[in-house]
Amino acid sequence: MTTTEIKALWRTLPLGEENDLQQLDAQIERRPETWKAVARFLQQADLDALPLGRNEIGAGAYANVSEYETKTANLFELHRQYIDVQVLASGSEWVYVAAKENALQPQGSFDEAGDCILYADATDVRRVAVSRESIQLFFPSDAHKPCMAVDGKPVPVRKICVKAPCSD
């Protein structure tokens, strides 16, 4: 499959309109096998039946499956090594997003093993919806606060967070 075909495959998925498709296309150019594997996984996996925890996808990617109740407060997070591809099998949530340079008040140092640093707040924040019909991608340039309750009303969700290796 060519990179052009992989990009076209991604355009058949229910991507949220807020996604940075230029960054996605650049990652597809650099790691086509990874992004083909992730797209196929999102197309073919039974999101309701995946076991909780880590599920290997291949080509360096994996999916973390979790169930929880959305929150009314949370921290922003940033990753360096992986891109988050988030979709919900059930429920809906908001994720607040800001450019990484707008993340404020680090809560400790970068956790290399967990590929994460947390921040208390951020400026110039926008809100995006994550659901079964709205897949969202969060690149290392995106500080994001996941798991947020829509309209402040916590609900149970089942989330699939695919971790795809990032290439500079």
Side-chain angles (χ1 to χ4, degrees):
M1 183 176 267
T2 68
T3 56
T4 301
E5 292 169 324
I6 297 167
K7 291 174 190 176
L9 176 62
W10 270 90
R11 298 323 191 263
T12 68
L13 297 171
L15 296 174
E17 61 186 44
E18 306 85 2
N19 283 299
D20 186 338
L21 298 181
Q22 288 182 326
Q23 277 199 71
L24 173 60
D25 287 348
Q27 290 298 317
I28 290 170
E29 290 289 336
R30 294 180 190 120
R31 295 187 72 110
E33 290 306 310
T34 296
W35 291 96
K36 179 175 84 174
V38 171
R40 292 275 190 233
F41 172 83
L42 292 169
Q43 280 185 322
Q44 298 169 1
D46 181 350
L47 302 181
D48 298 311
L50 286 169
L52 295 177
R54 185 175 171 136
N55 294 261
E56 294 298 327
I57 294 172
Y62 62 95
N64 284 326
V65 179
S66 57
E67 294 177 347
Y68 55 88
E69 190 165 278
T70 55
K71 304 172 182 182
T72 57
N74 203 4
L75 298 172
F76 282 86
E77 57 187 58
L78 266 171
H79 310 291
R80 293 181 187 160
Q81 299 169 354
Y82 288 91
I83 297 162
D84 279 5
V85 181
Q86 298 187 11
V87 63
L88 297 183
S90 62
S92 62
E93 71 179 42
W94 284 337
V95 176
Y96 293 89
V97 186
K100 73 176 180 180
E101 56 271 11
N102 293 336
L104 304 171
Q105 303 168 10
Q107 305 295 294
S109 58
F110 189 82
D111 175 4
E112 293 290 338
D115 186 41
C116 189
I117 184 169
L118 300 174
Y119 290 86
D121 204 0
T123 59
D124 294 321
V125 176
R126 69 187 197 286
R127 181 181 70 204
V128 299
V130 180
S131 68
R132 188 181 281 273
E133 296 80 29
S134 185
I135 297 171
Q136 298 292 347
L137 291 92
F138 302 104
F139 296 92
S141 58
D142 300 319
H144 55 288
K145 184 191 323 187
C147 312
M148 299 304 296
V150 174
D151 295 328
K153 297 174 185 159
V155 298
V157 299
R158 179 178 175 82
K159 179 185 262 183
I160 294 81
C161 181
V162 173
K163 297 295 210 170
C166 181
S167 296
D168 293 332

